[in-house]
Amino acid sequence: MSPAAEGTRTGDFVLRGGRIIDPGQGVDGPLDLHVQDGRIAALLTPGAAMDGANDYDVSGAIVAPGLVDLHGHWYEGSPWGIDPLISLRGGVTTPCDAGTTGYENFGAFRRTIIDRSEVRVLAFLHIGSLGCASMLAGELEDFRYVRVPETIETILANRDTIVGVKARLGRGPCGPNVMAALEAALEAAAGGGVPLMVHVSGGADLRAVLPRLRAGDVVTHTFIGDDGGLIFGGGDRLLPEVLDARRRGVVFDVGHGCGSFSWEIYHRAQDQGFGFDTISTDLHRLSVEGPVFDMLTTMSKFLHTGSSIPDIVAASTWHPAAVIGRKHELGTLAPGRRADVAVFGIEPGAFVFHDAFGRTERANRRFVPLMTVNGGIVVRPDEVNVELRPYTSGDRAVGCGAPLMESAG
Ligand SMILES: [Zn+2]
């Protein structure tokens, strides 16, 4: 039995005393939650008797649908990848892989990780045939790695698991091929009938990229600080293309990562009335030990900057479920659904939150994980044992990740 399953409890139980926030059903209030045989049985009036069910006291906690993290890296055949089981420490029951593999290595990802993991992993398929295969060179610098028909074929053969196409657009991943990569990825997404998620980083000109995106396509790393802030085009005001894209239904995702969230850019966007649609971590080997750590820490940064708790929950459950076309099964506590539940508290104290550009902010509260219910199985944070691969000197060359940067002095 794997570490996450040891000491877990299943069956028939009620989470009592919490505040249930379920944006998909428009529910926010003190309710108890009945789970039976791995499914949500009912939302109950507080204190309602339930014969034969065990009680868990979750007084004072927030009880939300299992979190859907739209952007992480879960294939350890890539140096970026980490074990997706780690998601269960902090309420994430649907970690989505953001293009760690492409059509040539997705099969191995599926056989060795996705089909074997206790946590449900979904995936965006990279337009580069090997995904993010190495930290040392851009995966789209050599365009021979791009094959649209094979990418579409793989999507269509794996529609239960593949929820979109991914392209990393920027001078690092693409060299001179930014716009060619975008067009190939759009063609593959259209052929597969799925949304496209674009990573944007230095060298991606959003004035050219955004008008090409369709409603439902996703921009991740929205608040990156590269080139003076991509959503500002290096100027002071949000690009008109950004506002137009939002009006057209393009989704703006956080995708924090080790190099992609700037306090300064976020605050400036906020001042101009522009926030996130979805919150995601971009969790990978170089962000998991800081500055990201996990989904609840990322969500805490937006609690600190004044977002409401229901808005934060919606951006971490119902909205990402909509992006990947899974509202019928994910992101809500509606009766009959698979029992995926995140239970977390709000801890007062003095906390320092890092962005990915060396700036910190002090906060006086944060979300803390208490319990994850994964398909009806209760998992406590300390029951999840995950091994991270050791760092290599090659990791240091990437210039990313708080522990590496700090140790480099
Ligand atoms: Zn990523």
Side-chain angles (χ1 to χ4, degrees), residues 71-73 80 98-100 132 166 168 197 199 220-221 255 257 260 281-284:
H71 186 158
H73 294 275
W80 298 100
T100 314
C132 305
K166 174 78 185 292
R168 298 206 307 155
M197 175 191 279
H199 147 131
T220 190
H221 308 323
S260 306
T281 57
D282 191 10
L283 206 66
H284 54 67

Side-chain angles (χ1 to χ4, degrees), residues 377-388:
I377 296 174
V378 173
V379 183
R380 304 282 188 181
D382 60 4
E383 291 171 346
V384 181
N385 298 310
V386 165
E387 215 175 301
L388 296 169

Side-chain angles (χ1 to χ4, degrees), residues 63-76:
V63 177
L67 306 176
V68 180
D69 184 355
L70 212 49
H71 186 158
H73 294 275
W74 311 116
Y75 177 56
E76 292 192 88

Side-chain angles (χ1 to χ4, degrees), residues 3 150 180 185 188 195 297 371 385:
E150 288 81 353
T297 302
M371 175 194 285
N385 298 310

Side-chain angles (χ1 to χ4, degrees), residues 319-387:
H319 294 168
V323 168
I324 57 175
R326 298 291 177 111
K327 282 196 327 195
H328 57 286
E329 57 172 350
L330 298 176
T332 169
L333 299 171
R337 303 297 173 96
R338 188 182 128 115
D340 289 344
V341 189
V343 183
F344 51 95
I346 300 176
E347 180 185 22
F351 307 104
V352 175
F353 289 138
H354 297 255
D355 71 2
F357 292 84
R359 295 207 12 192
T360 57
E361 298 206 352
R362 295 181 183 283
N364 57 19
R365 54 185 185 156
R366 69 175 178 187
F367 295 124
V368 285
L370 298 172
M371 175 194 285
T372 304
V373 181
N374 181 37
I377 296 174
V378 173
V379 183
R380 304 282 188 181
D382 60 4
E383 291 171 346
V384 181
N385 298 310
V386 165
E387 215 175 301

